[in-house]
Amino acid sequence: MTSDVVPQQGGGGIVVEGVRRAFGAVVAVEDISLTARPGEVTALIGPNGAGKTTLMLMLATLLVPDRGTITIDGVDPASDPREVRRRIGWMPDGFGTWDALTVREVLHTIGAAYDMPSHEARSRTEEVLAQVHLEDLADRRARVLSRGQKQRLGMARALLHRPTTLILDEPASGLDPRSRIELRDLLRSLAASGTTVLVSSHILTELQEMADRAVIVAGGRTIETQTVEGAAPVARTWRVTALDRQRLVAALSEAGAAWRDAGIAVDVELAGDPEAATLLERLAASGARVTAYAPLHGEMEAAYLAATEERR
Ligand SMILES: Nc1ncnc2c1ncn2[C@@H]1O[C@H](COP(=O)(O)OP(=O)(O)OP(=O)(O)O)[C@@H](O)[C@H]1O
């Protein structure tokens, strides 16, 4: 094993087709298909128990599917787990570390596990410590790290061997606001340099800014895949406030808009952004003096709510 970036065979990225995995009578993943492309950040989102972690464990070679196929850079994790482990950086949701070692020693040990020559493991350790902003804590014992600091160490571990593919299960949980922004920027820059990034999270506002594509799963099945830019036409609620509420309500009724009271504001259901723009023009002309006009949920949140509504 070396630390060089591994050339991709054929179609790179992650391709999952019709995958199922049960634990006895519990079907954790029923039928999931998805593609995560090199150079993109793909968000894996879905309710608790949807099967996201189980799928990621299969991608990370730690579980074998009962049915369906998985390839990572064209390699099947079930038949060639060693090769897949060379290509992937895996950050589980909660992981143990060697508590007696320092942060730096943990990374040196990981480097050795990837058969990196010692000098290379050392220089690469310094690079990833800088990438995740852990330089100042490099000589602390891993056991005294805070939760967010442990998350950053997990990210450093995942990056150490320069994987082509990152599989990250809730990497932002426990991170403070600045660290979240830094993680987002890091993932974007890794994607820009050709890495395939698959990331699960429940924080949709954050994924909205980070991801190119979202795959929504529920009940162990893929229920929707969409590009983040393509998410805009979804129907969603817009919250409106105006200095003259009476005129606002009259103008909404005149426009035939479906609205309801929301305290000092009014919530309006609109089919998409073009309808929102047209309504805003009418409200401006009505003399209601609109002071705020914005969607209640981001595009990804709205798409998620719509896609998962009937499964509640
Ligand atoms: N080893 C196991 N044995 C039995 N059931 C399991 C096992 N692992 C997962 N499950 C079940 O499979 C389903 C999917 O779990 P999974 O952890 O993959 O969901 P998730 O989408 O990651 O959820 P969350 O968002 O809460 O992390 C759940 O109902 C869970 O209880």
Side-chain angles (χ1 to χ4, degrees), residues 42-63:
T42 301
L44 181 63
I45 59 181
N48 293 132
K52 302 179 296 294
T53 297
T54 306
L55 175 69
M56 287 186 152
L57 288 169
M58 290 189 271
L59 298 175
T61 78
L62 301 173
L63 281 177

Side-chain angles (χ1 to χ4, degrees), residues 23 26-29 46-55 93 169-170 202 217:
F23 300 98
V26 180
V27 183
V29 169
N48 293 132
K52 302 179 296 294
T53 297
T54 306
L55 175 69
D93 176 20
D169 199 357
E170 308 231 19
H202 292 297
V217 294

Side-chain angles (χ1 to χ4, degrees), residues 185-198:
D185 294 347
L186 176 60
L187 295 185
R188 286 272 17 131
S189 79
L190 288 163
S193 63
T195 305
T196 306
V197 182
L198 180 68

